[in-house]
Amino acid sequence: MTNTAYSRIARRLDAVRPSPTLAITARAAELKAAGIDVLSFSAGEPDFPTPEHICAAARRAIDEGFTKYTAVGGIPELRKAIATNIETRFGVRYGPAEIAVTVGAKHALFNVAYALYEPGDEIVIPAPYWVTYPEHARLAGADPVVVPTAAENRFKMRPADLERALGPRTRAVILSTPSNPTGAAYDERELAALAEVLAPTSALVVTDEIYASLTYGGFRHRSFVSVAPQMKDRVLLVDGVSKSYAMTGWRIGWVAGPRHFIEAILTVQSQATSNPTSIAQRAALEALVAPQDCVEEMRRRFEVRRDLMLEGLLAIPGVRCLAPDGAFYVFPDFSEVIAKLDPAARIGNDTELAAYFLEEARVAVVPGEAFGAPGHLRLSYATGEATIREGLDRMRKSLQKIHPAG
Ligand code: PMP
Ligand code: GLU
């Protein structure tokens, strides 16, 4: 690195790291491009193509010349469709002025952080957490307060855990259900219990609904705001089309919340990205207003894969893993496996084990450390059934090579 006066990077980035999930996914893609047969369980995105009717709407937008700036917070038709979508799914009504369309749900969360968090604020984040939440807090100068959860509690924060984490500096609590990376989801009773703890405080509640459509085994998703509508004036509900409609590359998300917060968020957005891509907005509009069969079809396929993935993982001696209620990740505990490996293999933690799987088995997984849960690995099952079978087989065989018992 050069050390000249002009080579400095802003200090606010000192404590911020790039997305490890995106980095590992990119590394797997690089290896594949180099002709190496890598199977990837790292990507947090559906392998399905974006449904054709959605792509057709985007083509129409281009043909009609819908290629110019739009309103910063999104076209009115899309905001209206989002309001209807929220009302239908969560039973809570938002007006178009209470909704901002953003460049993906990650951008919505970033805007929330940038517009509403200040240095000295504490942001409560249950662990295992999605990698981006603490980094957004830090980018805004706020301090993440990580709340560990236990596998015995299905990786869910209990009311007492939340209570302990709250303090005079708490600005917001982030709730991600179903969760990335564990797939755990809070039921109505659990959300109501958290709402009871939060009611006497002045904490905002940021709810990430990006996996809300993807639940399994009959689990019924509930949004925090549906369970505690009396707290709507301090909820920021974040969602998007990336996961439910296989639209990760289109970059459309949104945030719904009180009007004055949305105005602040749009001030940030108007000086950063301006509007989200006009063409992608039309595609997202089609996704929301067209029949929803494609969502259910993909959900069903994910459920089959979830079962396959679980079965294969549990067949590896020493692995413990909860059956996820939703999203498309499993989060197995490999700590017992790691403890029993041949010391000569020099694998002492999840990061080294993930590196070994990539080198030796040509399988990409994300180390649990990235999500604040060492000893675990995250595997995405948003990939074909043959890949799941073959990948798990490779992992199992590669472990046999470094297991003292053979
Ligand atoms: N929240 C969670 C929990 C996620 O896993 C993702 C996926 N990257 C996002 C938000 C952001 O999704 P996007 O920006 O693609 O809409
Ligand atoms: N949410 C996805 C994941 O966790 C996408 C990667 C990212 O945005 O960091 O893998």
Side-chain angles (χ1 to χ4, degrees):
M1 196 181 84
T2 48
N3 194 18
T4 43
Y6 55 75
S7 61
R8 78 186 154 89
I9 306 290
R11 256 184 235 120
R12 82 177 71 86
L13 285 186
D14 283 355
V16 178
R17 60 178 184 172
S19 165
T21 42
L22 289 182
I24 293 166
T25 306
R27 176 82 188 119
E30 237 172 62
L31 290 170
K32 259 190 221 163
I36 299 167
D37 164 36
V38 173
L39 302 177
S40 181
F41 296 138
S42 58
E45 66 176 349
D47 57 327
F48 305 118
T50 304
E52 176 48 33
H53 64 284
I54 298 174
C55 297
R59 280 187 219 106
R60 271 198 310 277
I62 297 176
D63 291 344
E64 287 166 15
F66 192 70
T67 53
K68 301 288 169 65
Y69 292 134
T70 72
V72 170
I75 53 177
E77 308 90 291
L78 179 55
R79 285 194 194 195
K80 231 174 116 222
I82 291 167
T84 307
N85 178 274
I86 295 175
E87 191 172 355
T88 313
R89 294 165 71 214
F90 307 140
V92 180
R93 191 169 288 179
Y94 286 92
E98 295 173 304
I99 291 166
V101 184
T102 58
V103 185
K106 188 184 277 184
H107 183 223
L109 289 159
F110 176 84
N111 282 342
V112 167
Y114 200 82
L116 306 182
Y117 307 165
E118 284 197 305
D121 285 348
E122 291 182 344
I123 312 302
V124 173
I125 303 169
Y129 47 73
W130 180 42
V131 296
T132 294
Y133 300 141
E135 308 307 318
H136 277 176
R138 291 190 185 103
L139 274 166
D143 301 317
V145 173
V146 172
V147 182
T149 64
E152 298 80 76
N153 301 319
R154 296 190 59 76
F155 292 121
K156 286 185 273 194
M157 181 169 64
R158 293 164 306 176
D161 302 328
L162 173 60
E163 200 147 20
R164 269 195 300 279
L166 296 171
R169 287 166 56 203
T170 308
R171 175 61 171 146
V173 177
I174 316 254
L175 279 184
S176 161
T177 173
S179 145
N180 174 4
T182 67
Y186 291 81
D187 64 24
E188 178 162 358
R189 195 178 40 82
E190 290 163 333
L191 289 173
L194 297 180
E196 209 169 292
V197 173
L198 289 166
T201 74
S202 54
L204 302 176
V205 187
V206 179
T207 73
D208 185 338
E209 314 282 346
I210 197 91
Y211 297 105
S213 312
L214 302 175
T215 60
Y216 314 115
F219 183 91
R220 177 156 182 254
H221 172 80
R222 299 284 282 157
S223 174
F224 180 86
V225 73
S226 333
V227 174
Q230 71 283 6
M231 289 173 72
K232 183 170 173 247
D233 62 349
R234 51 163 137 159
V235 170
L236 289 135
L237 183 153
V238 172
D239 202 349
V241 290
S242 287
K243 316 287 176 171
S244 341
Y245 300 94
M247 290 179 71
T248 46
W250 297 81
R251 311 307 305 130
I252 295 290
W254 54 84
V255 49
R259 193 182 177 134
H260 72 288
F261 285 155
I262 297 300
E263 277 166 11
I265 283 163
L266 289 180
T267 300
V268 175
Q269 182 154 308
S270 75
Q271 297 295 13
T273 56
S274 305
N275 59 276
T277 306
S278 58
I279 301 152
Q281 288 190 62
R282 279 279 190 86
L285 175 62
E286 175 67 17
L288 294 183
V289 300
Q292 300 296 295
D293 316 291
C294 60
V295 179
E296 175 56 16
E297 266 163 41
M298 289 190 268
R299 191 204 64 77
R300 256 192 264 128
R301 293 282 296 280
F302 287 137
E303 184 152 13
V304 170
R305 294 160 173 198
R306 175 194 76 147
D307 296 344
L308 193 63
M309 184 65 115
L310 260 179
E311 193 185 303
L313 276 170
L314 293 172
I316 301 178
V319 170
R320 280 175 296 168
C321 191
L322 293 175
D325 299 311
F328 38 57
Y329 309 100
V330 276
F331 201 62
D333 183 352
F334 269 77
S335 49
E336 209 173 288
V337 176
I338 295 169
K340 288 190 180 148
L341 293 177
D342 185 345
R346 298 185 170 281
I347 296 171
N349 58 44
D350 52 292
T351 303
E352 289 164 0
L353 182 60
Y356 176 77
F357 281 140
L358 190 57
E359 283 309 308
E360 189 59 36
R362 298 296 184 204
V363 173
V365 299
V366 188
E369 179 270 330
F371 308 94
H376 295 73
L377 296 177
R378 190 192 77 174
L379 289 82
S380 158
Y381 49 87
T383 186
E385 279 113 82
T387 302
I388 295 174
R389 279 202 193 87
E390 164 80 13
L392 289 171
D393 200 46
R394 287 190 194 180
M395 283 168 66
R396 203 165 24 78
K397 286 187 178 138
S398 75
L399 280 175
Q400 279 164 3
K401 290 189 197 162
I402 50 172
H403 205 280

